[in-house]
């Protein structure tokens, strides 16, 4: 009995999908010396970042402990972090963002107190939004990014309004699939239960067991 293998989308397959949507032939490798291929690849990267910057269940991490560096009282932010915020949203005495320091390194900056330095604190709990590689994000979002990038390519490369309109309909359907994924996976609730807590809501069918 043979097993079925499912290949994940790669940047190359995404570029080929965009090329196919505007009537171009597929390629065997991404050649950055080719202006058209390089342009489409940049569109793919930009759209990928735009979509992930919204913050979804798959690329947001909550309640992460960040220790203050004992040498300079600062906190360095990893290059893949595109947004950072305090876990305690009710605390308005601080407001953290990512910002480049004078040495050109991304660090955590307090907009309320206008400083990179936290000499009176040992650590903070923060929420992070990370920029993941295209291959590492869920399939519905890969499809959404490809359709969205295809729409931009249709406008910027071939200037075909009718094609762009058709691709927009695919983009809307893919966006709906992303929202369904988000609602199913994120376990959102209006009670706003904090991290490391559990709650089981009342289930109407339990009354039938009485």
């Amino acid at each position: 009995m043979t097993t079925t293998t499912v290949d994940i989308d790669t940047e190359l397959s995404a570029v080929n999908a965009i090329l196919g949507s505007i009537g171009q032939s597929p390629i065997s490798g991404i050649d950055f010396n080719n202006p058209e291929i390089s342009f489409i690849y940049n569109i793919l990267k930009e759209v990928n970042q735009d979509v992930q910057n919204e913050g979804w269940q798959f690329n947001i991490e909550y309640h992460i402990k960040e220790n203050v560096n004992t040498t300079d009282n600062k906190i360095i932010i990893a290059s893949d972090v595109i947004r950072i915020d305090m876990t305690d949203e009710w605390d308005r005495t601080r407001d953290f963002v990512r910002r480049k320091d004078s040495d050109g390194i991304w660090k955590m900056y307090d907009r309320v107190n206008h400083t990179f330095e936290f000499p009176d604190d040992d650590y903070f709990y923060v929420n992070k939004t990370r920029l993941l590689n295209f291959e590492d994000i869920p399939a519905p979002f890969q499809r959404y990014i490809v359709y969205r990038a295809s729409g931009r390519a249709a406008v910027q490369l071939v200037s075909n309004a009718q094609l762009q309109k058709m691709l927009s309909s695919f983009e809307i359907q893919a966006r709906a699939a992303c929202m369904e994924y988000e609602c199913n996976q994120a376990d959102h609730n209006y009670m706003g239960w904090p991290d490391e807590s559990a709650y089981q809501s009342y289930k109407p069918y339990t009354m039938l067991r009485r």
Side-chain angles (χ1 to χ4, degrees):
M1 181 178 178
T2 59
T3 58
T4 301
T5 59
V6 179
D7 294 331
I8 61 172
D9 279 334
T10 63
E11 288 185 336
L12 176 59
S13 67
V15 168
N16 279 329
I18 298 170
L19 285 171
S21 69
I22 59 175
Q24 300 296 320
S25 300
I27 57 175
S28 58
I30 299 177
D31 180 11
F32 294 105
N33 293 321
N34 185 318
E36 183 181 54
I37 302 304
S38 180
F39 185 76
I40 288 179
Y41 180 76
N42 286 334
I43 290 178
L44 177 66
K45 285 185 61 179
E46 291 171 7
V47 173
N48 181 35
Q49 183 165 349
D50 289 343
V51 171
Q52 292 197 47
N53 192 51
E54 295 182 45
W56 303 86
Q57 179 270 343
F58 69 86
N59 72 329
I60 295 181
E61 295 184 56
Y62 297 98
H63 204 63
I64 299 175
K65 185 178 180 180
E66 284 285 355
N67 294 311
V68 177
N69 192 322
T70 56
T71 303
D72 56 6
N73 299 316
K74 298 180 180 181
I75 298 177
I76 296 176
I77 304 300
S79 59
D80 65 337
V81 175
I82 51 181
R83 282 198 296 176
I84 190 169
D85 196 10
M86 284 192 69
T87 297
D88 296 326
E89 297 178 353
W90 51 267
D91 186 356
R92 305 299 295 176
T93 61
R94 288 189 171 102
D95 186 16
F96 297 148
V97 296
R98 65 189 288 269
R99 184 173 294 182
K100 280 188 177 181
D101 201 353
S102 56
D103 57 5
I105 299 176
W106 289 103
K107 297 178 183 177
M108 195 163 75
Y109 179 77
D110 183 0
R111 292 196 315 113
V112 174
N113 298 297
H114 315 291
T115 183
F116 287 101
E117 299 182 8
F118 310 98
D120 301 325
D121 300 277
D122 296 325
Y123 60 87
F124 296 99
Y125 283 100
V126 297
N127 302 331
K128 293 182 178 180
T129 302
R130 296 186 181 277
L131 178 63
L132 306 181
N133 294 326
F134 181 80
E135 292 86 353
D136 297 331
I137 66 177
F141 293 89
Q142 291 178 336
R143 292 291 88 204
Y144 175 55
I145 289 170
V146 167
Y147 286 135
R148 188 164 163 177
S150 297
R152 282 187 53 182
V155 172
Q156 295 178 252
L157 286 177
V158 297
S159 301
N160 189 326
Q162 188 174 11
L163 175 61
Q164 196 275 334
K165 184 177 180 180
M166 182 184 68
L167 290 171
S168 293
S169 66
F170 296 153
E171 179 183 334
I172 292 171
Q173 293 174 9
R175 175 80 181 191
C178 291
M179 295 304 297
E180 182 179 7
Y181 179 95
E182 178 75 5
C183 292
N184 290 335
Q185 293 290 321
D187 301 324
H188 296 297
N189 67 84
Y190 70 92
M191 300 296 290
W193 299 107
D195 294 311
E196 300 178 359
S197 65
Y199 172 75
Q200 186 174 5
S201 62
Y202 172 73
K203 296 178 175 57
Y205 72 82
T206 55
M207 66 179 298
L208 299 177
R209 298 172 58 188
R210 295 180 182 176

